[in-house]
Amino acid sequence: MTQLINDTGFAADDWTHGFCAAGAANDCRALDLPSDAQPEEVQLQPSIEMIRIDFPSSADGRGFTIARALRLRGYTGRLRAKGHVIADQYAMARRAGFDEVEVNDEIAARQPADQWQFRANWQEHNYQSRLRG
């Protein structure tokens, strides 16, 4: 089982349409990307409503780069980080462009909702905003 996290804490997963691998048919509504995907090669079809990016390890930050690159290319749908993301990385995930994080039950048990919510105010508490004053 998995747990979905957004700015309100633990949330119910309302996505019921499944995921396709990159390069799937045009009727695919959600893509599942590996951490080594090349964001410039992802075909951003109008039918794509969600992209889920894998994090095989909390020390692997390639997913943040992929998310940021997809947003810079104009992707406006849902972006979900999946895998080994920890609460300390939530603010970074949101700043990179992710809307939500999906973790396994083991991570959710070790890091309850209050630890994620503590980092939900990601727009105000960052280095750049402190520099701007």
Side-chain angles (χ1 to χ4, degrees):
M1 294 288 298
T2 61
Q3 179 63 58
L4 190 65
I5 300 143
N6 61 25
D7 288 349
T8 63
F10 289 178
D13 190 352
D14 62 350
W15 187 258
T16 59
H17 306 292
F19 293 89
C20 305
N26 289 339
D27 61 347
C28 181
R29 296 176 66 177
L31 291 178
D32 219 354
L33 297 180
S35 61
D36 62 352
Q38 299 301 313
E40 64 277 359
E41 295 176 7
V42 176
Q43 295 180 18
L44 298 177
Q45 303 293 338
S47 62
I48 302 297
E49 299 174 40
M50 181 189 296
I51 297 176
R52 183 170 68 175
I53 301 171
D54 186 46
F55 281 76
S57 162
S58 60
D60 186 343
R62 294 176 292 177
F64 299 119
T65 303
I66 295 168
R68 184 70 181 142
L70 292 174
R71 290 294 190 204
L72 289 173
R73 287 186 55 206
Y75 179 71
T76 58
R78 284 170 73 176
L79 269 180
R80 180 182 290 187
K82 175 188 182 267
H84 294 276
V85 179
I86 57 175
D88 288 345
Q89 295 172 315
Y90 184 72
M92 185 184 331
R94 292 290 283 133
R95 282 193 285 278
F98 286 106
D99 299 299
E100 55 203 23
V101 173
E102 178 184 336
V103 297
N104 64 31
D105 287 338
E106 182 183 328
I107 291 173
R110 280 188 288 134
Q111 298 193 304
D114 64 323
Q115 292 184 23
W116 296 89
Q117 287 176 305
F118 179 75
R119 289 149 183 93
N121 195 3
W122 57 273
Q123 293 173 317
E124 293 183 20
H125 301 291
N126 67 50
Y127 178 72
Q128 291 177 351
S129 67
R130 287 195 304 267
L131 286 177
R132 288 185 204 112

